[in-house]
Amino acid sequence: MNKKLIALAVAGSLAVPMMAQAAPSVYGKVHLSYGNVEDGTAGGNDNWQLQSHASRVGVKGDRDLGNGLSAIYKFEWQVDYEEGDDAGFDRRNMYAGLKGSWGQVRFGRHDTPLKMAQGKFDLFGDTSGDLKNAGDQDGENRLDNVLAYLGKSGNIKYAIALIPGEGDGTTGGDGPADSISASIAYSDGPLYVALAQDSYDDTDGSAENSLTRLVGTYKMGNMQVGLLWQSGVEGATTTGQDEDWLGVSFKTKISAKNSFKAQYITVEDNETTAREGTLMAVGIDHKFDKKTSGYVMYSNVEEEVGSTTDKDDTFLGAGLVLKF
């Protein structure tokens, strides 16, 4: 009996530290669509396509370091059955860092705070109706060489990312933070409001640009309304392409498992030949369960340069999203 008790005690003492170190979590999402894709410009294509939309797989976890401090990590890859940089795999967020009561510090490849500030405004993310398709200076950036801090105080969240250019000062910045992205967001019940700005400097004095985003969403019962304003240029060496964005999104439940959604964004720039763009998307989502949903949608992206139609792309089809 004593031997059995001793064995149980030893096993229990070994199990405690093992339980303290959480096992890595494997997760992912498969997002596929099938529909008619049309390029309405002269000589454009009109065909049916099966597409993968940022389908992904990843691993994440944390390790308790004691005294309220944890080590964190996340490595995520985009998986595309059609194409990719390496046999169908592209890099997404990949970082390691530290977490405590004071917030988080992350090092690696990461979404900018300006990108994260959109919150739940974009109702057609990863599809042809994604807000990044509305214009050139979209702010939806995921960058390498990021040192990011994320913090929270009450209903306020804030984030800042420093990105060295890792250049020689002529062809690229050579400072500790040639690009800076920062955001502050307030969330209280149905209200979410965020302000963010990216600043770019190539350090040789040839270009210093910035991009500013203001976004808000508000939930009223089964409805959500979102507003987006954005202005500026993304990238240190981009000149003469400032864009002004205005966008609205709307979503409402039409039954227990079905929702209607719509999104409209206009973009104008300040180039010599005026360029105007619009993105319009409508759709219906169906929720099978917590991790499986389907949708039907229509989207149209138009762009005019002067009096010439430079782009007129449409999509009409259905999609399926499975998370694991």
Side-chain angles (χ1 to χ4, degrees):
M1 178 66 72
N2 289 335
K3 290 182 179 180
K4 291 182 178 180
L5 290 174
I6 292 173
L8 288 172
V10 171
S13 65
L14 292 175
V16 171
M18 290 178 67
M19 291 174 64
Q21 310 304 330
S25 173
V26 177
Y27 67 95
K29 181 170 75 171
V30 180
H31 182 176
L32 301 174
S33 73
Y34 181 67
N36 181 260
V37 179
E38 181 178 356
D39 180 352
T41 56
N45 293 322
D46 180 1
N47 54 37
W48 289 79
Q49 298 182 14
L50 177 63
Q51 302 179 71
S52 176
H53 302 273
S55 297
R56 68 202 66 169
V57 63
V59 58
K60 61 183 178 180
D62 60 79
R63 171 169 291 187
D64 187 358
L65 302 178
N67 299 317
L69 186 66
S70 297
I72 58 174
Y73 60 90
K74 179 177 181 179
F75 289 84
E76 186 174 289
W77 294 267
Q78 181 168 314
V79 183
D80 193 331
Y81 71 93
E82 290 185 305
E83 59 186 355
D85 291 340
D86 296 294
F89 286 87
D90 291 334
R91 298 174 303 132
R92 290 177 60 85
N93 284 347
M94 296 182 169
Y95 61 82
L98 297 172
K99 178 176 69 173
S101 59
W102 40 266
Q104 299 184 32
V105 174
R106 299 176 179 178
F107 310 85
R109 179 172 171 82
H110 203 282
D111 292 342
T112 64
L114 186 141
K115 178 183 179 182
M116 295 188 294
Q118 71 159 275
K120 296 183 178 180
F121 168 85
D122 190 357
L123 302 176
F124 292 85
D126 297 330
T127 72
S128 56
D130 192 308
L131 71 84
K132 67 185 178 184
N133 297 320
D136 294 331
Q137 315 299 325
D138 54 73
E140 297 294 284
N141 293 315
R142 180 180 297 116
L143 302 177
D144 294 329
N145 315 316
V146 171
L147 168 59
Y149 169 72
L150 291 76
K152 181 179 180 181
S153 177
N155 294 330
I156 298 176
K157 291 184 178 181
Y158 40 89
I160 185 168
L162 310 180
I163 306 102
E166 300 190 357
D168 60 8
T170 301
T171 58
D174 58 359
D178 299 299
S179 294
I180 300 174
S181 180
S183 68
I184 184 168
Y186 174 81
S187 180
D188 185 12
L191 176 65
Y192 171 82
V193 179
L195 176 65
Q197 179 166 308
D198 285 359
S199 299
Y200 318 93
D201 183 359
D202 64 5
T203 74
D204 69 355
S206 63
E208 295 182 13
N209 293 315
S210 65
L211 182 68
T212 304
R213 171 179 288 181
L214 177 63
V215 63
T217 57
Y218 189 77
K219 294 181 179 179
M220 301 170 286
N222 291 327
M223 296 187 297
Q224 175 185 294
V225 176
L227 295 174
L228 170 75
W229 173 83
Q230 182 170 288
S231 182
V233 177
E234 61 176 2
T237 59
T238 305
T239 58
Q241 295 182 11
D242 300 62
E243 289 184 347
D244 295 320
W245 290 47
L246 283 175
V248 59
S249 63
F250 173 79
K251 184 175 184 178
T252 184
K253 280 191 173 183
I254 53 179
S255 67
K257 293 189 175 183
N258 297 300
S259 298
F260 169 81
K261 61 185 182 180
Q263 194 157 285
Y264 185 79
I265 299 173
T266 65
V267 181
E268 295 184 0
D269 68 21
N270 66 347
E271 293 190 44
T272 303
T273 302
R275 182 176 55 174
E276 298 183 1
T278 60
L279 180 150
M280 182 274 289
V282 294
I284 295 177
D285 290 343
H286 176 76
K287 190 174 184 179
F288 294 101
D289 60 25
K290 290 183 178 181
K291 294 189 175 183
T292 308
S293 61
Y295 62 85
V296 293
M297 64 168 286
Y298 170 82
S299 68
N300 175 247
V301 180
E302 292 186 2
E303 184 177 280
E304 292 186 356
V305 179
S307 58
T308 303
T309 299
D310 188 54
K311 179 188 293 185
D312 187 5
D313 299 339
T314 63
F315 172 83
L316 174 62
L320 182 65
V321 181
L322 300 93
K323 299 178 181 179
F324 59 88

